Each structure stands twice: as C-alpha cells, then as structure tokens.
Amino acid sequence: MSLYGNNIQISGVTCGMVMRGINNGKYLAVFEREFASLEDIEAIPWDKPDIQGACILPAGYGFTVADIRYSAATRSYTVELQVAQQYLGDVAGYQAQVSELEGQVAQKEADLEAKAQELESKESTIQEQADTIQSQQETIQALEASGTAKQVEDKLETAYQEGVESNG
C-alpha cells in the first residue's frame, strides 16, 4: 500500500512525491521501496531526466544526486537533488540564424571599412586643395607686397586685349 499518490514517473521509475529542499536549487524526491529499488534510482539519468506527471522539478534541467537516504519507518528512499544545469533544447535553428547575422555583420564591417577608406581619400584631396589655396594666397600676398602684382595684372590685361582684338 502506498503512502503517496505515485503520480510521478522519473525516467520510468515511480516516485511518490517531490519536495523543495532547504536551499535554493535543492529538491527531495521520495521513492517507495515497493515501487523502486536503489538500483532503479541510481540508474536514472539525473543529468537529463524524463519527468512525467505533476512534479515540481523544473522541466529541462539536469540534477546531481547529493545523497540517497533510506527510511525503514516509511520504507522509502529520499534522494537529495541539486540543480546542475538547464537544457535549452534544440538550438540548430538559432545557430543558422546566428551564422546569417554574423555574415551580415561582417559585410557591414567591410562596407564601413570601404567607406572609411573613401572618406580618408577625400579628406586627403581636400587637404591638398586647401594647401594649394594657402600657397596661392601666400604667393599673391608676396606679389602684392613687392609691387609686382600690379605689373603682372597689367601684362595679363594687355595680353587679353590683344587676344580679343586679333580675333576680331
């Protein structure tokens, strides 16, 4: 005769009840001797157990067995479990998505690098033009300061007039 409801199956082994332990992540699973032997309990793959029925053990988690105690008074084994790890299930679909996104990131980084090189080239061209303008301004200032700027301007005006008159 059972002292518990026995509505829980853990990897095919009938379990009487599961209770929370004193510490976080600890559970106590009680197996009656008439429904489960010590060998059956030790054979349960606790790293990824298959849990059937109304049980407070979190689904998708793995456990480690901290202790197994036998009580002659209740003719039951109490298994002290500690949460070991959580299983996230099949992530193959996400891996493909991650790979695709990583490819997009690599492409964007390559595009950014190309844009950065193009920008650097344009900045270099602008700096060269600014240097040329600065040099021309300095030359004009030097010519104006020496008085030869007016002479050059007069010669250019005369050459222009001759060119216009010769073309009719």
Side-chain angles (χ1 to χ4, degrees):
M1 182 170 145
S2 174
L3 296 175
Y4 311 104
N6 293 329
N7 296 328
I8 304 168
Q9 294 278 322
I10 300 177
S11 296
V13 179
T14 302
C15 180
M17 70 174 177
V18 178
M19 302 172 285
R20 293 191 193 284
I22 295 173
N23 296 329
N24 188 26
K26 294 214 180 234
Y27 295 90
L28 300 173
V30 179
F31 295 87
E32 291 181 278
R33 194 174 95 185
E34 64 185 84
F35 298 107
S37 68
L38 180 59
E39 291 79 18
D40 293 337
I41 296 167
E42 289 176 337
I44 294 173
W46 290 107
D47 59 332
K48 194 172 182 183
D50 176 34
I51 301 169
Q52 302 294 322
C55 180
I56 65 169
L57 286 176
Y61 281 67
F63 304 91
T64 55
V65 176
D67 192 18
I68 299 176
R69 293 181 301 274
Y70 179 74
S71 170
T74 59
R75 296 177 44 95
S76 64
Y77 296 98
T78 301
V79 180
E80 184 179 333
L81 301 171
Q82 173 67 47
V83 171
Q85 56 188 328
Q86 179 182 7
Y87 291 95
L88 301 175
D90 184 18
V91 294
Y94 296 114
Q95 289 173 334
Q97 186 178 6
V98 166
S99 295
E100 179 184 331
L101 291 173
E102 285 174 343
Q104 290 176 0
V105 167
Q107 180 63 42
K108 294 290 183 190
E109 287 175 347
D111 291 348
L112 285 174
E113 182 64 30
K115 295 280 186 195
Q117 290 177 353
E118 182 180 335
L119 182 60
E120 188 177 313
S121 172
K122 288 183 180 184
E123 286 176 345
S124 175
T125 302
I126 289 171
Q127 185 60 45
E128 289 173 4
Q129 290 174 349
D131 290 345
T132 301
I133 291 170
Q134 179 67 30
S135 172
Q136 289 173 348
Q137 285 177 339
E138 289 172 0
T139 302
I140 290 170
Q141 288 173 349
L143 289 173
E144 286 176 346
S146 67
T148 56
K150 183 67 175 154
Q151 293 171 357
V152 171
E153 193 175 307
D154 289 342
K155 286 182 184 179
L156 286 174
E157 183 65 35
T158 303
Y160 175 74
Q161 288 299 326
E162 289 175 3
V164 169
E165 290 173 1
S166 67
N167 285 328

